[in-house]
Amino acid sequence: MSLVLEVNKKQKGKDSWEEPFYLNMGPQHPSTHGVLRLFLELEGETIVNCDPIIGYLHRGIEKLAENLNYNQTIVLSDRLDYISSAANNVAFALAFEKLFKLEVPRRAKLIRTIVSEMARICSHLLWLATHALDIGAMTVFLYCFRDREWLLNIYERICGARLTHTYVRVGGVRRDFEPEVIEELYRFVEEFPKRITDYETLIDTNRIWLKRTKNIAVVSAEEAFNLGLTGPCLRGSGVSYDVRKFRPYDAYSEVEFEVPVGQNGDTYDRYKVRMIELRQSNWIIKQCLDKLSETEGELVLAENSPDLLMPEKVREVSAQPHPKLGVMFKPKEKEIVPVGEAFASIESPKGELSVYVVSDGSSRPWRLRIRTPSFVHISAIPHMTKGHMIADLVAIIGTLDIVLGDSDR
Amino acid sequence: MALYEELKTKFPEVVKEGFQEVDGEVVVCNREGFLDLIAWLKQEKGFIHLIDLCGVDYLGYKPKTFEERFEVVYHVFNLDERKLLRLKVRVPEEDPWQYSITSLWKEANWFERECFDMFGIVFKGHPDLRRVLMPEDWKGYPLRKDYPLFSEEEDWEPYKVLVEKYKRRG
């Protein structure tokens, strides 16, 4: 039975004078970043209990993927975390490549790394913009969107789309970078660190910002693992766990970067971690751009990568000797992809995004499981909000950096 | 395969089989005693990060080598040794249940709720087992293989109610 019904039952026939106060926050509330509904039990302004209710954006991507071929499912991955769709594409492609045992060309790996770091910058900029807006700093919002716009324009130049790219393909990427894109990216990489400094001067020591973020939603390292926090939320608690370092994929093993960690595990530390990550991402892009000139003229898509329109069934005719009738020709269903399972995870801007795929030999995945960071982070909200004021709830939702398309799938 | 050997000697009745996959070791376990095994892995062996918990439906899977219909798959990660371990527990169709690991990881709470939502696998010991993604009053388990992708309009419950209502009106 849902919490709502239980409450209705409790309240029946009782004087509500000294009863706790129940409040529905969302699903249309702007600071819930989408269609998250929080059912709150309040005592004055303090949160006693909180029940997040999701599923308003459930599109059944896992079920749909079972009825599409491997290449088509990458289109669905754009719709998970629509702010950083390039990173999602990479996660899907990595899992399928592991399954097909494909080797990706080096140039494609570098391009993928650039694209997913761009996605990280986009996502963190949007996070900073909305988080600051939620807390009350309006100016940052406009500046962040200006820079994000720059990156989106570069994306448009790369693949023709601004938000839903489908740029990464199984076995590489769709097309090579144009020379103008590389020039523009160099210009961005040069300019961007100054912009980050600008944002930090706006809010870093702002008294209101400090009051709203310091000692809010403190999570210890052990508790963070218990709650399943990953990404900047986990690193804010002082654990230096980064999938890019622990299970390197694409070109992350050949670039240098630091993994920033916080100390107190509060909202301010998570903000700090993300700001340093912006600089690190910028640095990674710069290194990859330098390396890109070494691989001039290489392929960006593996030669044996699967065709875009994978056939549903392939029949193979095999000749078998028969004792009476001589040689018999028997049609037999052929495996299009290897039977088995594969698991790949990436450090998406929001946290750890992992894909687990089971194949039965046909061109459609038998089961495609997507572990999304937002889903886990929303489940941590009740534990993190306990005892906080209702105004801090907005800061907590912001600091977890959730996207409802990511959690509802 | 070192870990499999260790698990086999420590929990001979729980561990069924083990093999090496591309991305790590896979250990197939029995339902009974699974909680002890995973608690030991977390507390003694340092597999503190539960990455994923999901269900898989193997109804009509051609290369299948076992009887049970469902499988609950756990992915755990050891940070010190950088080791990924995949644990599998097979669940028969007749009594689809599995022990809940919410006592070890609070994170598993919603994973298990989702698994129940999508496959109908009941997790024993779960504090609050109800649907997550689908509406509360939803009938059926969408990710099961015998659940249709598209259903006929006439089968849709609100449509039936509407037809009934207009019939009564005449």
Side-chain angles (χ1 to χ4, degrees):
Chain A
M1 193 195 279
S2 86
L3 199 66
V4 189
L5 295 174
E6 269 173 48
V7 167
N8 288 345
K9 225 179 197 178
K10 252 193 248 166
Q11 279 187 331
K12 237 177 217 175
K14 258 191 184 175
D15 186 20
S16 60
W17 173 235
E18 280 180 350
E19 285 287 295
F21 185 69
Y22 296 98
L23 185 74
N24 256 310
M25 187 170 163
Q28 307 96 336
H29 197 284
S31 74
T32 54
H33 294 208
V35 281
L36 171 66
R37 178 175 153 217
L38 293 162
F39 189 71
L40 304 170
E41 187 183 330
L42 303 170
E43 220 176 72
E45 261 192 87
T46 316
I47 298 163
V48 179
N49 227 327
C50 168
D51 183 25
I53 296 158
I54 61 166
Y56 292 93
L57 209 59
H58 180 56
R59 292 144 296 172
I61 283 180
E62 285 174 17
K63 182 82 178 173
L64 280 173
E66 287 170 11
N67 299 279
L68 295 170
N69 76 34
Y70 285 96
N71 276 315
Q72 287 165 336
T73 53
I74 290 188
V75 182
L76 294 179
S77 79
D78 284 334
R79 276 80 185 165
L80 284 175
D81 177 2
Y82 37 78
I83 294 159
S84 58
S85 45
N88 303 340
N89 294 163
V90 171
F92 275 54
L94 280 173
F96 299 158
E97 278 151 16
K98 244 183 210 172
L99 184 69
F100 304 165
K101 297 179 182 68
L102 271 179
E103 190 55 48
V104 183
R106 181 154 175 261
R107 191 173 173 83
K109 280 186 179 176
L110 288 168
I111 290 179
R112 276 185 188 187
T113 313
I114 294 175
V115 168
S116 44
E117 287 309 311
M118 278 165 71
R120 191 181 314 279
I121 294 179
C122 272
S123 170
H124 281 5
L125 281 177
L126 191 109
W127 162 80
L128 180 65
T130 49
H131 187 37
L133 187 71
D134 286 345
I135 292 182
M138 179 83 192
T139 328
V140 193
F141 178 81
L142 300 167
Y143 284 127
C144 286
F145 264 68
R146 179 191 61 184
D147 280 359
R148 185 165 167 266
E149 199 64 25
W150 192 356
L151 273 179
L152 292 187
N153 285 336
I154 297 175
Y155 266 131
E156 200 174 358
R157 200 67 199 266
I158 292 170
C159 62
R162 289 163 65 82
L163 283 175
T164 49
H165 311 304
T166 326
Y167 176 58
V168 176
R169 266 187 60 183
V170 183
V173 292
R174 209 165 68 205
R175 50 180 289 207
D176 203 350
F177 276 177
E178 287 167 4
E180 293 87 14
V181 171
I182 296 174
E183 278 170 32
E184 186 69 22
L185 269 172
Y186 265 121
R187 224 171 296 144
F188 177 82
V189 168
E190 281 303 311
E191 178 68 21
F192 189 56
K194 291 175 216 157
R195 302 271 174 98
I196 304 171
T197 321
D198 285 354
Y199 307 147
E200 282 181 339
T201 49
L202 276 173
I203 45 179
D204 225 12
T205 48
N206 186 317
R207 206 193 300 163
I208 303 171
W209 180 265
L210 290 176
K211 281 243 171 184
R212 291 297 305 269
T213 54
K214 282 255 178 192
N215 291 325
I216 299 296
V218 182
V219 183
S220 68
E222 198 185 334
E223 184 75 2
F225 271 118
N226 201 349
L227 293 174
L229 301 183
T230 44
C233 297
L234 179 64
R235 290 193 282 275
S237 301
V239 186
S240 121
Y241 171 65
D242 191 320
V243 183
R244 291 175 292 173
K245 287 274 188 205
F246 278 72
R247 291 190 296 272
Y249 53 94
D250 283 348
Y252 284 112
S253 49
E254 48 181 296
V255 292
E256 284 176 36
F257 63 97
E258 281 169 22
V259 180
V261 288
Q263 283 161 355
N264 308 322
D266 59 0
T267 304
Y268 186 76
D269 276 16
R270 288 187 278 270
Y271 150 75
K272 267 288 176 205
V273 165
R274 285 197 178 96
M275 293 311 273
I276 300 168
E277 270 188 21
L278 278 177
R279 286 209 173 81
Q280 296 298 326
S281 294
N282 198 57
W283 189 26
I284 294 172
I285 293 179
K286 199 176 178 190
Q287 291 176 56
C288 286
L289 283 173
D290 292 341
K291 284 179 202 282
L292 214 55
S293 57
E294 297 166 14
T295 59
E296 202 70 59
E298 270 184 30
L299 282 176
V300 289
L301 192 62
E303 273 173 358
N304 50 352
S305 64
D307 196 48
L308 265 186
L309 292 168
M310 296 169 93
E312 200 163 347
K313 274 173 191 167
V314 174
R315 293 229 161 155
E316 187 184 48
V317 181
S318 61
Q320 287 171 342
H322 194 272
K324 281 178 189 166
L325 302 167
V327 178
M328 290 272 286
F329 290 96
K330 267 192 176 172
K332 200 180 118 197
E333 241 171 66
K334 196 185 153 193
E335 280 176 18
I336 300 164
V337 303
V339 178
E341 51 195 35
F343 174 85
S345 61
I346 62 153
E347 184 72 28
S348 95
K350 309 260 180 314
E352 188 170 351
L353 175 73
S354 75
V355 177
Y356 171 59
V357 58
V358 180
S359 132
D360 66 335
S362 71
S363 64
R364 276 114 226 265
W366 180 261
R367 168 95 168 97
L368 187 80
R369 156 78 186 171
I370 313 150
R371 183 254 199 222
T372 49
S374 299
F375 183 78
V376 186
H377 287 181
I378 292 175
S379 78
I381 290 179
H383 304 283
M384 290 172 79
T385 50
K386 215 156 266 180
H388 278 294
M389 292 294 195
I390 193 166
D392 295 332
L393 180 60
V394 175
I396 291 166
I397 294 170
T399 190
L400 286 174
D401 194 10
I402 52 170
V403 164
L404 268 291
D406 200 21
S407 80
D408 288 0
R409 299 191 289 277
Chain B
M1 296 304 287
L3 195 67
Y4 166 66
E5 300 294 335
E6 209 177 334
L7 282 171
K8 188 77 190 168
T9 47
K10 180 97 180 155
F11 301 95
E13 283 171 5
V14 184
V15 177
K16 252 188 198 166
E17 52 181 308
F19 42 90
Q20 186 74 36
E21 275 275 344
V22 198
D23 36 27
E25 273 183 58
V26 185
V27 176
V28 184
C29 309
N30 282 324
R31 223 163 22 177
E32 293 299 334
F34 176 74
L35 260 183
D36 298 335
L37 186 141
I38 200 161
W40 182 73
L41 276 175
K42 189 193 173 188
Q43 280 143 14
E44 305 288 326
K45 300 301 284 181
F47 284 90
I48 51 167
H49 182 32
L50 172 73
I51 300 179
D52 196 7
L53 188 166
C54 68
V56 184
D57 184 2
Y58 282 106
L59 179 72
Y61 185 70
K62 271 173 206 154
K64 193 160 105 169
T65 51
F66 49 89
E67 279 177 25
E68 291 89 345
R69 178 174 170 181
F70 299 109
E71 213 170 50
V72 182
V73 184
Y74 301 79
H75 286 95
V76 283
F77 187 67
N78 184 336
L79 267 77
D80 302 324
E81 294 172 28
R82 307 196 171 188
K83 209 170 190 179
L84 182 78
L85 178 67
R86 186 181 302 149
L87 295 163
K88 289 180 167 184
V89 177
R90 283 163 189 166
V91 177
E93 190 182 356
E94 303 81 51
D95 53 340
W97 61 267
Q98 156 66 349
Y99 289 110
S100 166
I101 57 164
T102 37
S103 52
L104 295 166
W105 282 283
K106 283 178 195 161
E107 175 193 8
N109 187 327
W110 276 35
F111 283 152
E112 284 171 1
R113 272 176 73 182
E114 196 199 346
C115 195
F116 164 74
D117 191 354
M118 294 297 168
F119 294 97
I121 297 170
V122 176
F123 285 87
K124 283 194 179 173
H126 190 285
D128 177 28
L129 199 65
R130 55 193 160 98
R131 287 183 183 272
V132 195
L133 294 173
M134 303 303 282
E136 301 164 11
D137 52 351
W138 195 263
K139 287 200 182 77
Y141 302 105
L143 274 182
R144 285 190 176 186
K145 285 285 172 184
D146 49 8
Y147 189 93
L149 181 66
F150 296 105
S151 71
E152 293 296 320
E153 206 174 58
E154 284 77 16
D155 296 340
W156 196 43
E157 204 56 46
Y159 180 84
K160 280 185 197 166
V161 173
L162 222 83
V163 169
E164 274 301 303
K165 201 172 153 191
Y166 276 89
K167 262 186 196 166
R168 260 184 274 132
R169 271 194 196 173

